[in-house]
Amino acid sequence: MSQKQVPSEGQSPVQKPVDPEAEVEKYGFGSSWLPLMLLLPPLVYYMWICMADHQGALYLPTSGAELLGLLQRVPAPTIASVAFVVLWFGGQILLQLYAPGRWVDGTPLDDGSRLPYKMNGWAALWITLLGAGLVCWMGWVPATFLWDELGPILTTITLLSYGLSIFLYRKGRASPEKGTTGRVMYDFFIGTQLNPRIGRFDLKLFCEARPGLLLWVLINLSVAAKQWQVHHTVSTPMIAVCLFQLFYIVDYYFHEEAILSTWDVKHERFGWMLCFGDLVWVPFTYSLQAQYLLSHPRDLPTWATLGIIVLNVLGYVVFRGTNLQKHRFGRNPERPIWGKPAKFIQTARGTKLLASGFWGIARHLNYCGDLMMALAWCLTCGVSNLLPYFYILYFTWLLVHRERRDDAFCHAKYGTDWEEYRRRVPWRIFPGIY
Ligand code: NDP
C-alpha cells in the first residue's frame, strides 16, 4: 500500500522536482504512435500513386480487385533506384564530412557539456545543386530521372529508413539513456538516444538537415523538367512553388546554426519517427504541390499569383523574424527589439524568456509564419483538389501538437515563470484566434 505524505499544518507541500523530458512524454504521442507507424508509410505510397496515376485526384478503390491493384502498384527497388540512393547518401555523407564549414558548439546538454557540429550545409547545398545541374547538362542522367524513378526510389529509401532505425535502436540499447521506456516498439518509434553519433558524425543532424531536404528540392526541379518534357511549358505556379521551396531551403542553410536550438535537435530522440520523417516523409510529401502541378499546367490569374507571393513573403518575414529574434536575444539580451529595449522574464533557472517583439504577440509566432508559407504553396495548386492541401493540413496538426508538447515542456522547466509568460502572452500560435 502506498503511503501518502500529508503536510502538517503550516508546512508547505514538498514540491517534487519535475523532469521536463519525462513531463513532455505525457503530451507526446500517447497511444497514437502505433497507428502512426503503421499508417504513414502506406499513406506516402497512396499519395504518390494518386499523383502518378490519377492526376492528383483522391483514388478510392471500390472493389477487392481494385484494392489489390493498388497494393500491386507499390514498386520494388530497381537497379537505378538503388544506385541513386547509394550515390546520393554516399555523396551527402562525404559532403557532411569534407565540405568546408566551421565547427560550432550545440546548446548545453543536461550535464552542461556541448556537442560540436560541423556547419557546412551552405557549401553542401550549392555543391549538390551544381553537381545535379552538371550531371543533367552533360546528359549523364535525364533531368526527369527523379520523377521517372520516384516510386522505386521511395521504396529504396523507405527500406533504408527501417534499416537505419533498427541500427539506431540496437545502438541505443547498448547505452540506454534516461527516458527510454523499455517498451521495445515504442522505443524503436521514438528513439533510444538523443544524439547518436559515429565519432563526430552526428546521425540525427545529418538526417534532419541533408539528404531529405535536398532531395525535396531536386524532386521539385525534376518534376518541373517533366512538365517541360510533357507539356512543353513550365507553368507559373510550378515556377512559383519551386522557387518558394528552394528559397525556404536556401534560407534554412543560410541560418544553419539556428537548427541547433530547434526542438528536434534539443529534445527529440532519434528513432523511427524522425528517421522516416526526415528521409521519406519530407522529400516525398513536401513535393506534392509540384507533383500535382505536373499534370495541371494551367496558370493562375495575375491577382491570385500576386496574392500568393505576398502571403509567402509575409509568412517568411514572420517565420524568419521570430526565429532570428529568439536566436539574437539568446546571444545578446541587450540588443534592442523593434527599436526598444527587449522585454523579458528573468526565470529562476537563470535564463530569460523574451516577451516582446514577435515573442510578445504569440508564444509561437514562428509556427504561424511557417503555416502562412505552407498555405501559399498549397494555393498555387488552385482549389479543385484536396491532395495538394495535404501539406497544410498535416503541418497544422504537427505544429499544434508540437506547441502543446513545447508548452508542457517549458511549464515543467520554468514553472511559475512560464505561467507568467502565458499570462503576458496568452496566444499560442495565431494572435486573436488560438
Ligand atoms: P522554437 O524554435 O520555437 O523553440 C522552442 C523553444 O524555444 C522552447 O522549448 C524553449 O527552449 C525556447 N523558448 C520558448 N519560448 C521562448 C521565449 N519566449 N524566449 C526565449 N526562448 C523561448 O520551436 P521549434 O524548434 O519547434 O521550431 C523552429 C522552427 O522550425 C519554427 O519556425 C518551425 O516553424 C520550424 N519547423 C519546421 C518544420 C518543417 O517540417 N518544415 C518542422 C518543425 C518545425 P529552451 O527553454 O530550451 O530555451
Side-chain angles (χ1 to χ4, degrees):
M1 199 172 71
S2 69
Q3 295 225 327
K4 234 179 176 179
Q5 286 254 328
V6 183
S8 58
E9 227 175 309
Q11 190 188 352
S12 59
V14 179
Q15 287 269 324
K16 246 178 91 185
V18 191
D19 175 1
E21 301 284 352
E23 187 70 6
V24 82
E25 279 306 320
K26 288 189 208 161
Y27 297 84
F29 290 89
S31 51
S32 59
W33 63 271
L34 187 58
L36 282 176
M37 202 155 78
L38 294 175
L39 292 178
L40 293 186
L43 182 60
V44 180
Y45 276 105
Y46 172 74
M47 291 192 292
W48 166 70
I49 293 167
C50 287
M51 290 296 170
D53 298 357
H54 303 279
Q55 301 198 326
L58 287 173
Y59 169 66
L60 294 177
T62 51
S63 65
E66 281 185 11
L67 185 63
L68 190 66
L70 193 65
L71 292 175
Q72 284 170 343
R73 189 66 180 86
V74 173
T78 58
I79 293 177
S81 74
V82 174
F84 168 76
V85 170
V86 169
L87 288 173
W88 176 249
F89 278 82
Q92 290 305 319
I93 290 170
L94 288 177
L95 284 173
Q96 174 69 64
L97 289 172
Y98 301 114
R102 62 197 193 95
W103 286 90
V104 171
D105 285 341
T107 54
L109 301 172
D110 276 355
D111 63 3
S113 65
R114 289 166 184 257
L115 289 170
Y117 293 91
K118 193 167 184 188
M119 296 281 99
N120 58 4
W122 184 251
L125 163 73
W126 296 112
I127 293 170
T128 301
L129 288 178
L130 283 174
L134 184 72
V135 163
C136 296
W137 184 259
M138 298 298 287
W140 296 332
V141 175
T144 57
F145 170 79
L146 285 177
W147 171 252
D148 295 334
E149 280 291 318
L150 204 62
I153 292 174
L154 168 58
T155 301
T156 312
I157 298 185
T158 301
L159 292 174
L160 178 73
S161 75
Y162 276 91
L164 182 56
S165 306
I166 292 169
F167 168 78
L168 289 167
Y169 177 76
R170 292 173 65 94
K171 181 170 158 42
R173 282 294 301 273
S175 58
E177 281 181 11
K178 180 178 73 109
T180 49
T181 63
R183 286 184 286 146
V184 176
M185 287 312 288
Y186 181 74
D187 285 343
F188 174 77
F189 171 82
I190 204 78
T192 44
Q193 280 186 295
L194 186 60
N195 301 297
R197 290 186 156 209
I198 299 174
R200 293 222 284 181
F201 189 90
D202 191 278
L203 290 162
K204 183 169 74 171
L205 194 78
F206 173 73
C207 290
E208 176 98 0
R210 293 299 164 80
L213 281 184
L214 290 174
L215 188 58
W216 168 22
V217 170
L218 293 193
I219 290 174
N220 278 353
L221 296 177
S222 179
V223 170
K226 190 72 186 180
Q227 196 185 51
W228 175 260
Q229 188 189 67
V230 175
H231 300 285
H232 311 294
T233 182
V234 181
S235 63
T236 313
M238 177 71 92
I239 295 172
V241 91
C242 287
L243 284 181
F244 289 161
Q245 297 183 351
L246 176 64
F247 179 75
Y248 188 77
I249 296 298
V250 169
D251 174 76
Y252 177 87
Y253 289 116
F254 188 76
H255 298 101
E256 194 180 9
E257 276 182 42
I259 306 169
L260 299 180
S261 57
T262 56
W263 168 272
D264 285 354
V265 173
K266 280 165 67 174
H267 306 302
E268 206 78 85
R269 291 201 295 276
F270 191 34
W272 181 86
M273 184 188 70
L274 273 191
C275 205
F276 179 81
D278 293 341
L279 302 183
V280 180
W281 186 262
V282 167
F284 293 92
T285 70
Y286 286 23
S287 58
L288 278 179
Q289 289 93 32
Q291 294 183 40
Y292 177 84
L293 290 168
L294 168 58
S295 52
H296 298 82
R298 55 171 181 253
D299 277 338
L300 292 169
T302 310
W303 62 266
T305 307
L306 287 177
I308 287 169
I309 293 173
V310 169
L311 181 62
N312 192 67
V313 171
L314 281 178
Y316 172 75
V317 170
V318 173
F319 159 82
R320 182 48 64 202
T322 311
N323 286 328
L324 270 184
Q325 265 182 3
K326 186 181 75 164
H327 186 66
R328 290 178 176 153
F329 175 75
R331 301 199 153 208
N332 176 17
E334 307 295 318
R335 190 186 171 113
I337 289 191
W338 295 345
K340 294 186 185 148
K343 289 185 191 158
F344 57 84
I345 295 163
Q346 179 65 55
T347 69
R349 289 177 69 100
T351 54
K352 298 176 171 66
L353 290 171
L354 180 56
S356 63
F358 289 116
W359 294 86
I361 299 174
R363 301 200 297 271
H364 264 111
L365 209 63
N366 47 355
Y367 292 178
C368 178
D370 221 342
L371 287 168
M372 286 163 73
M373 285 189 284
L375 181 61
W377 303 350
C378 295
L379 285 170
T380 58
C381 299
V383 287
S384 46
N385 259 308
L386 187 64
L387 211 44
Y389 286 81
F390 175 78
Y391 180 64
I392 181 85
L393 296 175
Y394 138 80
F395 203 38
T396 304
W397 170 82
L398 179 120
L399 292 181
V400 167
H401 179 254
R402 180 174 290 223
E403 192 280 333
R404 295 264 162 180
R405 289 177 88 197
D406 191 47
D407 188 65
F409 179 83
C410 290
H411 188 223
K413 186 171 174 183
Y414 297 114
T416 50
D417 296 321
W418 188 254
E419 286 164 17
E420 168 63 13
Y421 182 47
R422 281 182 187 155
R423 259 192 303 276
R424 283 210 216 172
V425 186
W427 300 111
R428 292 170 182 271
I429 299 177
F430 306 106
I433 303 172
Y434 176 75

